[in-house]
Amino acid sequence: MRELCLPAGLNGVTLEQLDGMKFARRRVKAGEVLYHAGEKFGFIYAVRSGTFKTVITLRDGREQVTGFHLAGDVMGLDGLANGKHATVAIALEDAEICAIPYHQLADLAAQHPSLHGAIARLMSRELVREHEVMLLLASMNAEERLAAFLLNVSTRMRNRGYSATEFHLRMSRAEIGSYLGMKLETVSRTFSAFQQQGLLKVDKKHVRILDLAALAQRCEMRMQ
């Protein structure tokens, strides 16, 4: 968490300047919108705790989930392109974020290569994630998509120091389906199939992966 709100590896002067920016921490209740599509871009948001989904509204009025953001992720970079957010960010549970004023951060980064590199890595990570989702939707069947999704959550939980094989999914089956391009019934049926095959044990939103290696064999790539 410290690396997000206060990038590590900087010299003392830079740390003092970052401290002077007074990044704002904010609590967001479950169901509350952090930012709206079309809203003026001014901040990027580090998720300190909780889970968010980002959503776009399609021309026919349907909502499409574009991402799930866990503690340790950064949101809001979609606003860099034209100065306005392209998605809506909604908390799936009570959460806390760190609001980072982007233009101040960019000005400071121009003076300090280490900070500039940290920002570049954040942007690169988001681009890679979007590319992986495109591959996921274009080339995988239902079982492969859900397996890749669960492996992604597993990896992200492990990287944050939590269990890689047992976690609580804060998103609904319908939201998972929207993200993966699958119908709700298909998501539920695939979860049941994995459970029958001895890969998972599912209790509502709580998931325990019984055979991580076998689950990985269900998909052709791992999302990082």
Side-chain angles (χ1 to χ4, degrees):
M1 294 303 97
R2 179 182 182 277
E3 192 171 42
L4 288 171
C5 279
L6 193 62
L10 305 181
N11 60 44
V13 175
T14 304
L15 289 174
E16 290 178 5
Q17 290 174 304
L18 283 172
D19 282 338
M21 292 174 66
K22 296 181 180 179
F23 300 157
R25 293 187 185 182
R26 173 182 163 188
R27 294 187 180 277
V28 187
K29 294 183 179 180
E32 185 179 345
V33 173
L34 177 61
Y35 57 80
H36 293 270
E39 185 177 317
K40 184 179 179 181
F41 170 69
F43 298 86
I44 57 175
Y45 302 92
V47 183
R48 295 182 58 81
S49 64
T51 309
F52 287 81
K53 68 175 179 179
T54 46
V55 177
I56 59 172
T57 302
L58 304 177
R59 291 183 179 180
D60 60 6
R62 290 181 298 120
E63 289 189 343
Q64 171 68 51
V65 176
T66 61
F68 298 111
H69 306 271
L70 313 178
D73 288 343
V74 173
M75 301 186 300
L77 292 173
D78 62 321
L80 279 171
N82 58 14
K84 293 182 179 180
H85 289 291
T87 61
V88 182
I90 304 170
L92 294 176
E93 60 180 320
D94 290 348
E96 184 180 7
I97 57 91
C98 179
I100 305 170
Y102 179 75
H103 293 296
Q104 292 183 38
L105 190 64
D107 289 343
L108 188 59
Q111 305 170 35
H112 301 279
S114 56
L115 180 56
H116 184 273
I119 295 173
R121 286 192 295 274
L122 289 177
M123 295 181 180
S124 175
R125 187 169 64 187
E126 293 305 307
L127 287 172
V128 168
R129 185 172 297 168
E130 288 183 7
H131 177 66
E132 288 174 337
V133 172
M134 290 177 64
L135 289 175
L136 179 75
L137 297 179
S139 62
M140 291 186 172
N141 62 34
E143 285 200 356
E144 291 169 338
R145 293 180 189 190
L146 185 58
F149 171 75
L150 293 171
L151 287 169
N152 173 256
V153 174
S154 171
T155 299
R156 291 161 75 183
M157 296 298 286
R158 184 190 65 225
N159 290 344
R160 287 154 178 76
Y162 300 111
S163 171
T165 57
E166 191 164 359
F167 42 80
H168 198 77
L169 296 174
R170 299 298 177 180
M171 63 291 296
S172 68
R173 297 288 191 269
E175 288 165 336
I176 293 173
S178 175
Y179 179 63
L180 297 178
M182 297 164 57
K183 293 181 179 180
L184 171 59
E185 296 80 6
T186 305
V187 174
S188 297
R189 187 168 59 248
T190 307
F191 265 112
S192 296
F194 283 169
Q195 189 160 228
Q196 291 170 3
Q197 294 163 19
L199 302 179
L200 309 173
K201 186 173 183 180
V202 182
D203 182 9
K204 297 180 180 178
K205 291 188 175 183
H206 189 83
V207 174
R208 182 156 61 97
I209 300 176
L210 302 176
D211 193 335
L212 196 59
L215 186 65
Q217 292 176 358
R218 291 293 193 278
C219 61
E220 299 173 354
M221 68 172 188
R222 290 193 182 206
M223 295 173 63
Q224 300 299 327

